[in-house]
Amino acid sequence: FLQPLQSNTNHTSSQQWMRDTETERPSLKVPRTSRANDDEGAHSDSTEGHDEDDEIYEGEYQGIPRNDSVGKADGQPGGTAHSQFRDLTQYEAERRKDQEELAQQYETILQECGHGRFQWSLYFVLGLALMADGVEIFVVGFVLPSAEKDMCLSEPNKGMLGLIVYLGMMVGAFVWGGLADRIGRRQTLLISLSINSVFAFFSSFVQGYSSFLFCRLLSGVGIGGSIPIVFSYYSEFLAQEKRGEHLSWLCMFWMIGGIYASAMAWAIIPHYGWSFQMGSAYQFHSWRVFVLVCAFPSVAAIAALNTMPESPRFFLENGKHDEAWMILKQVHDTNMRAKGYPERVFSVSTSDSHKSSEKREHCLVCVNILSLNLSQVWGNFLTVFNPEYRRVTYMLMAVWFSMSFSYYGLTVWFPDMIKYLQKQEYSSRTKVFIKEKVEHVTFNFTLENQIHRQGEYFNNKFLNLKMKSMVFEDSLFEECYFEDITSTNTFFKNCTFIATLFYNTDLYKYRLVNSRLINSTFLHNKEGCLLDFSDENNAYMIYFVSFLGTLAVLPGNIVSALLMDKIGRLRMLAGSSVISCVSCFFLSFGNSESAMIALLCLFGGISIASWNSLDVLTVELYPSDKRTTAFGFLNALCKLAAVLGISIFQSFVGITKAVPILFASGALAAGSFLALKLPETRGQVLQ
């Protein structure tokens, strides 16, 4: 029951300010003895600036009665443990009642402010931050096919690069969510977006794999704060009857981020002419231009966010009542002017007694910011597991984990399965040549998708050509000449080269597997990893599939926004999860590329309603001082589940579809069952 002195002081001042708006309701008074004879030095810092009638004993903020009053009540100098426990219980009951009254009064003020131009302006500003989060998810996946060749990545390195953004977002969600409850939503969001922008910019220029991995990690840490802060921030400007619908509309910007990333990748990456290099040490290819362009939403969000105020609810929780009043007045006046009623006056006023203590509170806030450390954030995080919130927290953890595990696992498994089906179809058209003998022939055309076994090639010339998916096994090359060769997925296995010259080719080292070189020479080799743009059609298909999958969530977004406040959060969450679970069984019929694309769109369009409902529920189930901390923790858990889901589902590509389908449907079924155990928040004021 004991709370820090500052937090209780802030809480009391918040309640007192809200109560001043009701002229007939008296402020909360605690019996106190006269202190008229005390000198000035005996005054507590916590009561400096208050009138004599408002000065109270510091312990009373913590629910601890004065010794003299307890003694009078019990007839003993120090009172009894029983009376102290009774006073603490009574204080806790009064505190909860005051919190409910404060929440209801804040809701009344928001309704007076109305919903209009201010909320819509904030909607687009925060939408840019949410769009930046959506872009971040897609960036690495789109650049990986090009970056793996540009930076000579091995299979383990490619896997780590694909998962690093989720690990960064997991850390960022937890850290920024906790800080937002301590230093403010707007300030924390500005810091996190700035980190994302800076390291996204650097990642487009760094050359080495380690440097690129580090920059993408910190870029993910920065953007990790976007989702928990954005939803909490926006919800505190929305009245109860508008909250569910408009938070769902806000989710559309995540979809817009995915569409933006897909369109930019489609327009930029295959254009390999958009590149330059400075010697052999520095190369800037088109995929780096794409990485740079993907930082624009985050930069735009920072610029726009500087025009927006802090959440007034956060100011009230921290005793900054004058700042909260000014912001609420700004919201009211902005909306009334836009509606053609500029003469309407904001009726809520602040009390003079609080104005006199402005200097003291400003000093306390400065000390609070200077003394901020991770232990304070950790302490606030532990409060979400207090008995009052423990059951809700555990339920939400299970729902977030199950949904994230299935959603991210399937959304990554879908494209991998499409690529696998494409590869299977391509392999079915492979031409095989056995024991062929070729002499005195000049090859100056593209060689593609062929296997040559036990062939003999004498005095042949291979000039200015591309070799794509070519395999030579147990073959003999004698007095042959290779010049200006560019190869992709081409290998010479167990081959013998006699008196053969390689000039300006990339047929070196790892291209020659267990092969013998006799009197053969390599001149001006194309060393290192080279970008391959020969498969542009496949690249376009990947971007197009991602574009369709992202666009498919639009109907689900619209339906969830229109029905969120009509049928309730729980019905929307459980119903969407059940339908998503059923849709998983149709995956067994996806035996073609077009079928997999259609199923991807179906699953994405249905599951988005579950995500929107879960976001709204998470915002509404926690009070203001714990909202972003809890949301950040649950979002971090979401990213951990995403890493596990992606790793597990990818391991079954090309092996079986039954296991991923079973995992996804089982997780969704469990999530929908547990979702029904959560409390419904429709029609309730924001805590």
Side-chain angles (χ1 to χ4, degrees):
F1 297 113
L2 299 184
Q3 301 291 332
L5 172 61
Q6 179 186 338
S7 62
N8 281 282
T9 306
N10 294 339
H11 180 71
T12 304
S13 60
S14 302
Q15 296 170 0
Q16 209 164 2
W17 175 77
M18 299 301 296
R19 290 179 174 186
D20 288 337
T21 65
E22 302 182 5
T23 56
E24 297 299 323
R25 178 177 297 180
S27 300
L28 176 64
K29 296 295 183 181
V30 182
R32 52 182 64 85
T33 58
S34 174
R35 305 176 69 183
N37 297 329
D38 291 348
D39 59 12
E40 183 177 352
H43 284 279
S44 169
D45 290 341
S46 65
T47 60
E48 180 183 342
H50 288 272
D51 297 332
E52 285 295 321
D53 292 338
D54 289 333
E55 293 180 0
I56 65 175
Y57 169 55
E58 285 184 8
E60 290 174 336
Y61 282 112
Q62 303 174 353
I64 303 174
R66 298 167 65 90
N67 287 337
D68 53 357
S69 63
V70 173
K72 292 177 181 178
D74 296 290
Q76 298 179 9
T80 65
H82 175 72
S83 63
Q84 290 184 359
F85 178 78
R86 183 178 65 249
D87 290 340
L88 289 173
T89 304
Q90 181 180 3
Y91 166 77
E92 180 64 18
E94 292 178 353
R95 184 184 66 83
R96 292 185 179 181
K97 181 180 179 181
D98 292 338
Q99 286 180 338
E100 294 174 359
E101 292 176 354
L102 175 63
Q104 186 60 55
Q105 291 166 7
Y106 186 79
E107 177 67 28
T108 303
I109 294 173
L110 285 180
Q111 291 178 354
E112 180 180 344
C113 292
H115 187 94
R117 176 177 293 176
F118 182 90
Q119 280 85 357
W120 283 112
S121 300
L122 185 62
Y123 169 80
F124 287 104
V125 171
L126 296 180
L128 288 172
L130 199 59
M131 178 180 172
D133 182 272
V135 170
E136 189 76 17
I137 293 292
F138 290 92
V139 169
V140 173
F142 286 158
V143 304
L144 193 56
S146 300
E148 65 175 307
K149 294 182 173 62
D150 199 8
M151 294 187 288
C152 308
L153 300 184
S154 62
E155 287 298 326
N157 287 343
K158 286 193 295 182
M160 177 55 67
L161 189 58
L163 294 176
I164 196 66
V165 63
Y166 292 99
L167 296 176
M169 294 173 78
M170 178 179 68
V171 175
F174 182 80
V175 172
W176 302 122
L179 285 176
D181 279 332
R182 301 292 303 179
I183 65 177
R185 283 81 162 107
R186 176 179 173 273
Q187 182 175 347
T188 307
L189 187 58
L190 281 171
I191 296 172
S192 65
L193 289 175
S194 299
I195 292 176
N196 171 253
S197 301
V198 168
F199 286 98
F201 176 81
F202 285 155
S203 68
S204 67
F205 292 96
V206 296
Q207 293 293 298
Y209 166 74
S210 299
S211 302
F212 184 77
L213 191 72
F214 178 74
C215 287
R216 295 316 305 182
L217 172 65
L218 293 185
S219 176
V221 170
I223 202 61
S226 176
I227 289 181
I229 298 176
V230 161
F231 284 101
S232 301
Y233 189 5
Y234 193 47
S235 69
E236 292 169 353
F237 284 94
L238 297 173
Q240 167 257 314
E241 68 272 8
K242 298 284 187 180
R243 193 182 309 122
E245 176 185 351
H246 286 269
L247 286 177
S248 298
W249 288 125
L250 185 63
C251 294
M252 291 186 66
F253 277 92
W254 198 93
M255 174 200 71
I256 295 173
I259 293 175
Y260 174 83
S262 302
M264 291 299 101
W266 196 345
I268 296 174
I269 294 180
H271 294 279
Y272 50 89
W274 297 11
S275 62
F276 66 88
Q277 61 183 38
M278 294 168 21
S280 59
Y282 188 86
Q283 297 178 344
F284 192 89
H285 295 292
S286 58
W287 67 268
R288 296 182 181 274
V289 178
F290 167 72
V291 173
L292 190 61
V293 169
C294 285
F296 289 172
S298 184
V299 175
I302 294 172
L305 193 58
N306 279 291
T307 65
M308 291 291 117
E310 178 58 84
S311 165
R313 189 63 178 264
F314 171 78
F315 278 152
L316 285 176
E317 291 292 337
N318 288 272
K320 304 180 75 171
H321 46 272
D322 289 338
E323 291 86 344
W325 180 84
M326 291 297 295
I327 294 171
L328 290 169
K329 185 178 185 301
Q330 176 187 349
V331 175
H332 175 274
D333 294 346
T334 301
N335 291 339
M336 292 303 108
R337 283 194 301 268
K339 294 178 180 179
Y341 304 107
E343 70 281 357
R344 290 191 179 179
V345 179
F346 187 48
S347 61
V348 179
S349 61
T350 183
S351 63
D352 294 335
S353 62
H354 285 297
K355 292 180 180 178
S356 65
S357 63
E358 180 178 355
K359 179 178 179 181
R360 176 187 61 84
E361 289 179 346
H362 176 71
C363 295
L364 285 174
V365 171
C366 291
V367 172
N368 179 42
I369 294 176
L370 291 175
S371 63
L372 182 66
N373 52 54
L374 291 179
S375 64
Q376 291 174 307
V377 175
W378 180 255
N380 196 37
F381 161 68
L382 293 179
T383 60
V384 303
F385 292 97
N386 284 350
E388 186 177 357
Y389 307 104
R390 185 179 300 157
R391 181 179 179 276
V392 169
T393 299
Y394 285 140
M395 287 292 183
L396 283 174
M397 286 173 62
V399 176
W400 273 89
F401 187 92
S402 61
M403 285 189 55
S404 180
F405 178 82
S406 58
Y407 176 81
Y408 285 101
L410 283 179
T411 52
V412 173
W413 181 73
F414 272 120
D416 286 347
M417 279 298 299
I418 292 173
K419 286 188 284 186
Y420 173 77
L421 293 173
Q422 290 175 338
K423 184 178 178 181
Q424 290 292 99
E425 194 273 336
Y426 185 79
S427 299
S428 66
R429 295 185 282 110
T430 301
K431 295 180 180 180
V432 180
F433 301 87
I434 300 176
K435 294 184 178 181
E436 62 177 355
K437 293 184 179 181
V438 182
E439 298 179 354
H440 309 293
V441 175
T442 299
F443 296 89
N444 55 5
F445 49 86
T446 298
L447 300 176
E448 181 179 357
N449 200 16
Q450 299 175 7
I451 297 176
H452 296 261
R453 295 192 178 104
Q454 300 176 5
E456 295 182 6
Y457 305 89
F458 177 76
N459 196 22
N460 296 308
K461 293 182 179 180
F462 299 84
L463 304 177
N464 192 27
L465 59 82
K466 294 181 179 179
M467 292 183 174
K468 179 181 177 182
S469 299
M470 294 291 295
V471 178
F472 295 89
E473 298 178 353
D474 302 313
S475 299
L476 172 65
F477 295 84
E478 185 174 356
E479 297 182 9
C480 292
Y481 180 69
F482 293 83
E483 181 179 353
D484 292 330
I485 306 297
T486 301
S487 62
T488 302
N489 196 29
T490 296
F491 300 96
F492 296 83
K493 301 179 179 179
N494 301 316
C495 294
T496 301
F497 297 88
I498 301 175
T500 298
L501 176 63
F502 297 87
Y503 181 84
N504 194 31
T505 73
D506 62 0
L507 303 177
Y508 188 63
K509 292 184 178 179
Y510 65 94
R511 301 288 189 190
L512 309 180
V513 181
N514 297 326
S515 297
R516 293 189 304 161
L517 299 173
I518 303 174
N519 296 329
S520 298
T521 306
F522 290 86
L523 298 176
H524 300 286
N525 296 313
K526 298 179 181 179
E527 296 183 359
C529 301
L530 302 175
L531 281 177
D532 171 38
F533 298 98
S534 59
D535 197 12
E536 292 183 9
N537 291 332
N538 186 46
Y540 279 122
M541 177 56 68
I542 294 174
Y543 309 144
F544 181 66
V545 169
S546 299
F547 177 83
L548 286 180
T550 309
L551 189 62
V553 307
L554 179 61
N557 261 318
I558 295 175
V559 171
S560 64
L562 296 177
L563 298 181
M564 186 70 71
D565 288 321
K566 293 181 173 60
I567 67 174
R569 288 78 163 120
L570 292 187
R571 290 181 181 177
M572 180 73 70
L573 174 58
S576 177
S577 298
V578 169
I579 299 175
S580 299
C581 176
V582 174
S583 69
C584 286
F585 289 100
F586 290 99
L587 298 177
S588 58
F589 302 103
N591 296 320
S592 65
E593 183 178 326
S594 57
M596 293 301 295
I597 294 174
L599 290 170
L600 170 63
C601 295
L602 175 65
F603 179 77
I606 295 173
S607 61
I608 191 64
S610 298
W611 285 111
N612 292 356
S613 306
L614 191 58
D615 290 335
V616 176
L617 266 174
T618 304
V619 164
E620 295 178 334
L621 284 174
Y622 291 95
S624 298
D625 60 338
K626 301 174 180 63
R627 184 167 296 125
T628 58
T629 299
F631 206 136
F633 163 67
L634 293 169
N635 199 253
L637 184 67
C638 164
K639 297 304 183 290
L640 176 62
V643 171
L644 293 176
I646 292 171
S647 302
I648 294 174
F649 282 47
Q650 279 184 328
S651 64
F652 291 99
V653 173
I655 299 176
T656 178
K657 290 190 293 185
V659 175
I661 292 173
L662 184 62
F663 280 170
S665 57
L668 288 170
S672 60
F673 173 77
L674 293 173
L676 293 174
K677 304 296 183 181
L678 290 168
E680 177 60 79
T681 58
R682 181 179 57 155
Q684 297 182 8
V685 298
L686 201 64
Q687 295 185 52

